[in-house]
Amino acid sequence: MTTMLIVENFGKTFTLHQQGGVRLTALKNVSLEAHSGECLALTGPSGAGKSTLLRCLYGNYLPGEGRIAVNSRNKMLDLSRAGPREILEMRRETMSHVSQFLRVIPRVAALDSVAEPLLEIGTDPEKAKKAAKSLLTRLRIPERLWSLAPATFSGGERQRVNVARGFIRPWPVMLLDEPTASLDAANRQTVRELILEVKNGGSAVIAIFHDEEMRRLAADREHRLEPPQGAAMEPPQGPSSMEPPQGSPSMGPPRGREGES
Amino acid sequence: MTLPVLSAVEVDKWYGRRAACRKISFDLHPGEILGLVGESGSGKTTLLNVLAGRLTPSGGRALYRDENGEERDMHQLSEAERRRLLRTELGLVHQHPRDGLRLRASAGANIGERLMAGGWRHYGQIRAEAAQWLERVEIPADRLDDRPTEYSGGMRQRLQIARNLVTRPRLLFMDEPTGGLDVSVQAKLLDLIRHLANHLRLAVVLVTHDLAVARLLSQRLMVMKDGESVECGLTDQVLDDPQHPYTQLLVSSMLQV
Amino acid sequence: MTTEETGYNFAYLDEDSKRMIRRAILKAVALPGYQVPFAGREMPMPYGWGTGGIQVTASVIGPDDVLKVIDQGSDDTTNAVSIRSFFAKTAGVATTSRTAEASIIQTRHRIPERPLKSGQIMVYQVPIPEPLRWLEPSEAETRTLHALKEYGLMYVKLYEDISRHGTIASSYDYPVEVFGRHIMSPSPIPRFDNPKLDRSPALHLFGAGREKRIYAIPPYTPARSLDFEDYPFAPQSWSQVCALCGAADSYLDEVVMDDGGQRMFVCSDSDYCASRLEKGGRTQ
């Protein structure tokens, strides 16, 4: 078991200049490790900063105090010292982030969207398409939708496209933010199998699960986060009750915010 | 690790006592798109023009690494060499197609001009290459002999892109390429730019005031205000976890759909 | 023969103006095909009537010169007659319609068919000296394009011709590259005459009165008509011969004979046609 990720005394505070410079502490003194081949579930009440932590791990939020180090290509990359190019490389080579919400790229077909992470690392386009098709099939996306842009899909369909995109490659570190939130039992089961497969393939999975059963079945370990002291000001919720608390409530889109580019 | 294709080193531009750009520095690598965002008058277009060698900076340097790996100071080049680079290894897509196209010449001639300037002397080959690029920007090849004045706004902008890309440039400057287009037309163009930049490993400096455009196209973002870079970083990080009060204001002012 | 008028300097222009124009001509000869700006003078005729050519002629002509003036290949059209009489009056020089006898030939549209000799000077009246003007309205930009030898734009025009008409349709004012350097407008001769410019023994001087530019092709200088590899330059050709003299190597004008639409093709160079007839060419 290789250590893939180390979080030490990590804390994250947001300063909201639009609201008189109020400071919100979202995370404080978080320490954890994740290893290859295991699934670590983040637990804790709403407002404990679970999603915020995943975003910090992915480099979507700037690192705060303490340290986050990611094992990227056998080197520990300190996120607070990494430049944008190193973070992009880490995302390409090492880490994926599956949020609940798919950021739709206009006009890009579901199939191409799913295949894209493979094309980025130079996989043969035919092979990439084949892999994408098989994953979409497993997640029960009807074939007639494959060539359409997911903009018009239902919430559940979009999420499954998103999951497919997140699992098209077995990244060494995979961050899952409520990947099954709006899925039916059959698809939840498929996601559980996918997690098991990448785990067996040696990935370290760090996940937030909204339902107990999924967590019990998929996770090997749990790490509980508590709302930090002094975070009495609960950030307002996004438009969806399913969305985890956001660290920077007054800004940023209400939908998923993974680092598409 | 690749070497940067463009480096801005403390670029300054003053108009009298007013600073249009102040000490702007960044590196841009092959395949990267850097978004320059900010409101009108923030200095982003001035910066673009300085970087492209169209304006002389008051201080600092814009260094372009040419295809032989040699670093060239855009403002130390002879005019002949600068213009040669601008029509071969570099490209500039203007906000208004009329500034970047020859409206009196056909689409084919517009695309072929850079080839002819580079010494292509076979009409059939020039025409075939132009037709191929027209199709790559999703304009039917049977529009090759039409003038840009017979094109829609979105098609003109795509024609302008084809005209620039025909010489396989390594670095492209784009000034509000989607400004003034209908939303549906915009989406098509954005997708095209994204696709082409990916496939050609183009480095792009993209000026836009539209944060959604920047999020879709650029990996990195520089937020400008009053000629200064107030924040620079990964695009999703700058937009989702903005640090500077001005960036927070910009992001919170964005319309949501 | 018109008698010489008094009250004018020789050849109308004052000596200082001539000296200034000669300096421009020398520069133009030294930089073949390059458009030299000069301080064009007002002439006693409107622009478009050949004021540029007349100033050049006035600056190079001497009392011993023999002047020929042609317009549309003919020595007898209004413009040709009035320019010839202008110099006969103001310089008292001999005039001729015979190409072989002339030392200076001022022309508007043609180069004579009879091959030019060393020592002869062709003077052209040019309406628009800038070959790039068609696509680039800015004079500053076209001068930069010439300075940097950026001639992609010139080919854009030829490209447009082919895509519009299936062939390079410019039948007049067909651009040439002079001495491998400058691109120049041989304005407004037909492209039939372009080959006569190439390595010609004569000196060719071009004067644009309105735009105040002078340029030149010195004797024996290469002047290459631009083209594409797959659309090579070709002068015009006719399936007919001249209906009067039977010449097959001459530029033909189509002449409408009557209201019934009867037409015939005759030499545009009236001197050439007449001299062939004198030598016993056929008549109708």
Side-chain angles (χ1 to χ4, degrees):
Chain A
M1 270 206 328
T2 317
T3 303
M4 295 306 292
L5 189 118
I6 301 172
V7 179
E8 273 175 2
N9 299 322
F10 184 76
K12 175 71 183 169
T13 301
F14 295 97
T15 306
L16 306 183
H17 296 285
Q18 294 306 302
Q19 292 166 31
V22 64
R23 289 168 60 81
L24 290 179
T25 300
L27 292 166
K28 207 167 179 180
N29 276 326
V30 177
S31 295
L32 57 82
E33 285 189 8
H35 307 102
S36 59
E38 67 165 4
C39 175
L40 172 67
L42 297 180
T43 64
S46 176
K50 302 185 292 290
S51 282
T52 300
L53 180 59
L54 287 193
R55 287 169 184 280
C56 289
L57 297 178
Y58 194 61
N60 177 221
Y61 288 174
L62 273 185
E65 62 204 52
R67 173 169 174 256
I68 295 175
V70 177
N71 184 342
S72 185
R73 305 180 104 182
N74 297 320
K75 273 187 201 155
M76 293 309 280
L77 179 71
D78 184 338
L79 289 200
S80 54
R81 294 198 187 132
R85 221 160 273 117
E86 289 168 289
I87 294 193
L88 287 175
E89 192 196 335
M90 174 194 82
R91 290 178 182 177
R92 194 168 54 241
E93 304 291 339
T94 308
M95 191 186 277
S96 71
H97 180 214
V98 180
S99 73
Q100 291 176 67
F101 301 97
L102 175 65
R103 178 171 289 282
V104 178
I105 302 166
R107 297 211 319 158
V108 175
L111 188 67
D112 296 331
S113 180
V114 172
E116 193 176 24
L118 280 177
L119 298 176
E120 271 175 15
I121 53 164
T123 308
D124 172 68
E126 280 312 305
K127 270 190 189 160
K129 273 212 165 139
K130 216 176 143 196
K133 282 178 183 170
S134 109
L135 209 44
L136 286 171
T137 308
R138 281 183 74 181
L139 286 158
R140 299 170 186 80
I141 299 284
E143 194 171 342
R144 64 188 158 80
L145 296 182
W146 294 357
S147 58
L148 303 180
T152 52
F153 291 10
S154 73
E157 284 161 350
R158 277 201 207 189
Q159 187 170 17
R160 279 178 279 149
V161 171
N162 204 21
V163 168
R165 189 179 151 92
F167 280 90
I168 189 79
R169 263 170 68 193
W171 278 268
V173 180
M174 296 177 66
L175 312 176
L176 310 177
D177 192 345
E178 305 209 27
T180 57
S182 47
L183 300 189
D184 59 23
N187 282 309
R188 280 208 298 275
Q189 171 64 23
T190 305
V191 173
R192 204 163 64 85
E193 287 163 19
L194 288 171
I195 292 174
L196 197 68
E197 284 166 28
V198 295
K199 241 170 56 178
N200 290 340
S203 295
V205 180
I206 302 165
I208 304 166
F209 295 112
H210 75 295
D211 68 308
E212 295 274 347
E213 191 203 356
M214 187 74 189
R215 183 163 76 222
R216 197 162 40 73
L217 291 171
D220 303 299
R221 280 199 297 134
E222 292 186 3
H223 184 97
R224 186 172 172 82
L225 294 177
E226 293 296 341
Q229 301 288 316
M233 282 182 68
E234 183 73 9
Q237 298 288 309
S240 158
S241 61
M242 305 303 289
E243 194 177 15
Q246 302 271 318
S248 47
S250 69
M251 62 215 65
R255 283 209 245 111
R257 305 161 162 188
E258 69 270 49
E260 297 290 359
S261 52
Chain B
M1 196 63 187
T2 58
L3 292 166
V5 65
L6 178 71
S7 301
V9 185
E10 306 215 314
V11 170
D12 256 337
K13 178 70 185 172
W14 293 81
Y15 289 112
R17 302 189 58 179
R18 193 176 64 80
C21 303
R22 295 184 75 165
K23 301 257 179 275
I24 306 287
S25 298
F26 65 81
D27 282 340
L28 186 69
H29 288 245
E32 281 185 351
I33 302 185
L34 172 74
L36 296 179
V37 298
E39 292 168 328
S40 314
S42 59
K44 50 193 197 305
T45 296
T46 301
L47 177 60
L48 187 88
N49 282 322
V50 170
L51 296 174
R54 287 156 51 91
L55 281 177
T56 309
S58 314
R61 294 186 300 163
L63 303 171
Y64 165 69
R65 193 178 302 276
D66 69 16
E67 56 190 5
N68 302 317
E70 217 174 300
E71 207 169 51
R72 321 286 301 266
D73 186 325
M74 289 299 286
H75 302 96
Q76 298 294 318
L77 297 172
S78 68
E79 191 182 5
E81 183 59 4
R82 193 176 57 74
R83 290 172 64 117
R84 187 191 68 77
L85 285 175
L86 272 171
R87 63 171 191 267
T88 54
E89 299 179 27
L90 309 179
L92 178 59
V93 175
H94 297 259
Q95 175 176 9
H96 301 294
R98 64 168 180 271
D99 297 332
L101 291 174
R102 296 199 185 277
L103 297 181
R104 296 185 57 189
S106 69
N110 266 286
I111 300 174
E113 183 175 350
R114 276 177 165 233
L115 298 175
M116 292 185 261
W120 286 45
R121 292 293 178 265
H122 191 284
Y123 174 82
Q125 285 168 5
I126 295 162
R127 190 173 170 82
E129 186 78 1
Q132 194 209 324
W133 273 98
L134 204 62
E135 291 194 317
R136 284 189 81 163
V137 298
E138 302 176 26
I139 298 173
D142 64 7
R143 304 294 306 269
L144 194 62
D145 293 330
D146 293 347
R147 290 182 179 179
T149 44
E150 296 161 54
Y151 279 15
S152 69
M155 284 167 75
R156 281 186 210 174
Q157 208 54 306
R158 278 179 277 139
L159 176 61
Q160 207 192 161
I161 289 170
R163 172 175 158 90
N164 275 280
L165 293 186
V166 68
T167 50
R168 308 290 178 119
R170 306 167 63 239
L171 171 61
L172 202 58
F173 298 97
M174 299 185 123
D175 189 5
E176 303 274 10
T178 58
L181 296 179
D182 290 341
V183 178
S184 58
V185 178
Q186 232 186 52
K188 190 172 177 180
L189 185 66
L190 289 173
D191 180 41
L192 181 81
I193 295 172
R194 187 173 161 274
H195 178 82
L196 290 172
N198 256 337
H199 279 245
L200 305 172
R201 280 193 50 79
L202 266 177
V204 181
V205 180
L206 169 78
V207 162
T208 180
H209 68 276
D210 187 334
L211 297 183
V213 168
R215 188 192 279 271
L216 194 64
L217 291 183
S218 66
Q219 291 93 29
R220 284 191 300 138
L221 210 56
M222 178 178 279
V223 182
M224 292 189 66
K225 181 180 192 302
D226 301 331
E228 292 189 59
S229 159
V230 296
E231 192 162 352
C232 190
L234 280 179
T235 299
D236 61 287
Q237 177 258 301
V238 171
L239 294 179
D240 293 343
D241 186 13
Q243 303 297 306
H244 191 275
Y246 178 70
T247 315
Q248 292 192 357
L249 174 67
L250 269 189
V251 171
S252 64
S253 311
M254 225 174 126
L255 290 175
Q256 306 294 341
V257 184
Chain C
M1 195 90 208
T2 329
T3 51
E4 191 176 353
E5 295 272 335
T6 51
Y8 292 106
N9 188 34
F10 177 77
Y12 184 77
L13 278 181
D14 63 276
E15 291 304 313
D16 284 342
S17 296
K18 289 188 202 168
R19 195 171 298 136
M20 176 272 295
I21 292 170
R22 284 182 205 130
R23 275 199 294 265
I25 292 171
L26 284 173
K27 185 170 177 181
V29 168
L31 294 167
Y34 172 75
Q35 298 167 48
V36 183
F38 76 107
R41 297 296 189 240
E42 294 300 322
M43 299 303 285
M45 63 189 67
Y47 291 123
W49 285 60
T51 55
I54 288 167
Q55 289 181 78
V56 169
T57 300
S59 303
V60 298
I61 202 165
D64 301 333
D65 273 309
V66 179
L67 179 68
K68 169 182 164 78
V69 182
I70 47 178
D71 180 15
Q72 302 283 10
S74 161
D75 297 81
D76 305 326
T77 54
T78 315
N79 196 235
V81 169
S82 62
I83 291 173
R84 203 162 49 227
S85 71
F86 174 79
F87 282 111
K89 276 184 183 171
T90 59
V93 294
T95 61
T96 180
S97 63
R98 293 188 177 265
T99 302
E101 290 169 7
S103 59
I104 299 174
I105 303 168
Q106 180 167 337
T107 182
R108 186 176 170 80
H109 295 108
R110 290 296 321 278
I111 300 176
E113 306 293 3
R114 171 188 285 273
L116 298 170
K117 295 175 302 192
S118 174
Q120 285 184 312
I121 299 176
M122 286 289 303
V123 177
Y124 299 78
Q125 306 162 201
V126 176
I128 299 167
E130 179 49 72
L132 300 167
R133 182 67 67 236
W134 182 72
L135 279 168
E136 180 50 66
S138 154
E139 172 72 10
E141 179 65 13
T142 51
R143 289 184 74 81
T144 306
L145 294 175
H146 285 294
L148 302 178
K149 208 184 170 188
E150 282 183 17
Y151 286 134
L153 195 55
M154 197 70 249
Y155 284 90
V156 166
K157 183 178 186 314
L158 301 184
Y159 175 99
E160 285 296 84
D161 258 12
I162 299 175
S163 48
R164 291 261 154 78
H165 311 291
T167 172
I168 299 178
S170 304
S171 49
Y172 289 88
D173 201 4
Y174 191 106
V176 291
E177 181 197 73
V178 184
F179 202 48
R181 178 59 184 85
H182 285 97
I183 284 181
M184 178 203 106
S185 154
S187 157
I189 60 169
R191 72 169 192 264
F192 178 87
D193 286 342
N194 268 27
K196 298 175 187 164
L197 292 171
D198 187 31
R199 295 178 171 83
S200 163
L203 168 65
H204 300 260
L205 300 176
F206 299 80
R210 191 178 345 213
E211 306 226 4
K212 299 179 172 50
R213 295 284 187 276
I214 288 172
Y215 50 103
I217 303 178
Y220 304 107
T221 304
R224 184 178 66 83
S225 301
L226 301 183
D227 59 5
F228 287 105
E229 290 157 17
D230 47 344
Y231 285 84
F233 170 81
Q236 294 108 313
S237 58
W238 288 263
S239 49
Q240 293 90 341
V241 295
C242 173
L244 299 177
C245 73
D249 57 353
S250 138
Y251 187 87
L252 300 181
D253 282 339
E254 190 178 5
V255 182
V256 178
M257 302 299 290
D258 55 31
D259 290 349
Q262 281 284 337
R263 53 194 67 206
M264 67 174 189
F265 287 88
V266 297
C267 285
S268 118
D269 184 341
S270 52
D271 167 60
Y272 184 67
C273 201
S275 59
R276 278 177 58 87
L277 286 171
E278 268 172 36
K279 276 194 222 147
R282 70 167 172 176
T283 54
Q284 234 175 355

